[in-house]
Amino acid sequence: MTKKDTPNHDGAENAGPVEQERPYNLSYSVGVAENQNSKFRKTMEDVHTYVENFASRLDWGYFGVFDGHAGSQASKWCGSHLHAVLEKDIMSDESRDVREVLNDAFSYADEHINASLGGNSGCTAAVGVLRWEVPDNASNKKIELDQHKRMLYTANVGDTRIVLCRNGHSVRLTYDHKASDILEMQRVEAAGGLVMRSRVNGMLAVTRSLGDKFFDSLVVGKPFTTSVEITTTDQFLIIACDGLWDVIEDQEACDIIKDMTDANEAAKMLVRMALKQGTTDNVTVMVVMFDNSS
């Protein structure tokens, strides 16, 4: 069966029975925790989505966190639709580099949000696709997963971040697109914009997002993408909005949950620590733990 999280809520969706001789346990587990942080925020504009057995493929996974601003329309659209756009593109040509597919999906989302949604909302986004790379000569009847590479592909715009804990050390897989970044500042200025007080035209702290049509070509939806092979030295992923990263460093976050085995409890712990450290934003944390026992 294919199990899918709808934005901010657990849910299930059947994609037809999968014939197996024995039940299959996923090689990863997902935990999510969130907090509006009502002391500082009147609304919750974060959205998260994950899809187990993504694209109806055994042990694939899709993980996404979207941090909305100027409303939640953009983040809600991404939470509800981006994985479907990505799945369609991947299935249309499985030989394509998934990083290219992610780039196309982000570009489509940016254009669709700007053209079809009311208001001027936008959202940062961090997405990961976990899948097994199957050789061309593999049998379609029986594929032993331990024969093939487990690959993780990521894409992000804005400052929602993905951090991999590898052999106890943090490895950042995303790039923070902030107006305080010199390269992003130069790009904005070359496009005719201004960076004032580390904000695009004095208003928006991020330089890349999905939506934000008010900023036209200054704030773009082209993502930073990566690919990495997941091996037995990799313990878990942390995908979180800046509500976490504003107050907790990458390595610190890894250290806080390194001895935990329950993904949900790990995500809750990181949210609690962010609130304790004084974050003033909505907080959403997704933890993906890898099972390396087999």
Side-chain angles (χ1 to χ4, degrees):
M1 301 294 182
T2 299
K3 180 182 177 183
K4 179 171 68 177
D5 239 20
T6 53
N8 297 318
H9 299 282
D10 288 328
E13 177 181 285
N14 292 332
V18 177
E19 294 184 2
Q20 295 176 261
E21 296 179 358
R22 59 181 175 81
Y24 180 79
N25 293 322
L26 293 172
S27 65
Y28 62 87
S29 60
V30 183
V32 184
E34 59 183 19
N35 192 292
Q36 176 182 321
N37 200 5
S38 58
K39 180 179 179 181
F40 297 98
R41 299 285 170 160
K42 294 181 179 179
T43 59
M44 179 60 164
E45 296 179 324
D46 291 352
V47 174
H48 67 268
T49 306
Y50 71 87
V51 184
E52 296 177 352
N53 296 327
F54 178 55
S56 299
R57 296 301 174 88
L58 191 65
D59 210 44
W60 285 25
Y62 167 94
F63 321 102
V65 173
F66 311 97
D67 182 356
H69 47 259
S72 59
Q73 297 97 322
S75 58
K76 286 181 177 178
W77 187 92
C78 289
S80 297
H81 300 289
L82 186 57
H83 58 281
V85 173
L86 187 60
E87 178 180 343
K88 181 180 177 181
D89 288 349
I90 289 176
M91 292 298 98
S92 67
D93 183 1
E94 291 190 56
S95 65
R96 287 186 67 199
D97 189 322
V98 178
R99 291 169 295 182
E100 294 180 3
V101 181
L102 283 163
N103 185 80
D104 289 351
F106 272 53
S107 296
Y108 172 83
D110 187 40
E111 293 170 3
H112 180 83
I113 290 168
N114 286 336
S116 303
L117 299 188
N120 294 301
S121 70
C123 69
T124 67
V127 166
V129 175
L130 184 69
R131 73 173 192 170
W132 292 94
E133 301 283 357
V134 180
D136 293 335
N137 60 356
S139 168
N140 290 327
K141 294 182 179 180
K142 186 175 182 181
I143 299 173
E144 298 295 336
L145 295 179
D146 58 1
Q147 297 175 0
H148 312 302
K149 292 182 179 180
R150 182 165 54 167
M151 296 296 298
L152 175 71
Y153 298 89
T154 72
N156 87 288
V157 288
D159 52 8
T160 297
R161 191 180 299 172
I162 302 177
V163 172
L164 172 67
C165 182
R166 167 166 286 177
N167 201 24
H169 301 288
S170 64
V171 180
R172 188 182 302 184
L173 300 180
T174 48
Y175 190 93
D176 285 355
H177 300 117
K178 294 185 176 183
S180 56
D181 179 85
I182 185 63
L183 295 177
E184 287 297 287
M185 183 186 303
Q186 291 172 351
R187 184 191 60 76
V188 170
E189 292 176 346
L194 295 173
V195 174
M196 299 178 289
R197 302 186 302 278
S198 295
R199 292 177 176 268
V200 179
N201 287 354
M203 292 181 281
L204 188 63
V206 295
T207 57
R208 302 194 187 204
S209 68
L210 302 179
D212 284 308
K213 60 187 174 185
F214 176 80
F215 291 92
D216 195 25
S217 60
L218 303 181
V219 177
V220 298
K222 181 177 176 61
F224 176 84
T225 59
T226 66
S227 67
V228 61
E229 182 181 358
I230 299 300
T231 71
T232 55
T233 64
D234 300 314
Q235 289 88 39
F236 53 82
L237 285 177
I238 303 172
I239 310 175
C241 63
D242 63 327
L244 176 73
W245 306 117
D246 283 347
V247 294
I248 295 178
E249 298 295 328
D250 297 9
Q251 186 62 49
E252 182 184 3
C254 291
D255 290 342
I256 288 171
I257 64 171
K258 65 181 180 181
D259 296 322
M260 302 183 72
T261 58
D262 185 289
N264 274 306
E265 290 304 315
K268 291 177 183 177
M269 173 65 76
L270 288 173
V271 170
R272 285 196 295 267
M273 291 302 297
L275 295 172
K276 183 178 179 181
Q277 296 280 42
T279 185
T280 60
D281 205 348
N282 301 148
V283 189
T284 297
V285 176
M286 182 180 294
V287 174
V288 181
M289 289 191 168
F290 302 117
D291 182 1
N292 295 316
S293 59
S294 58

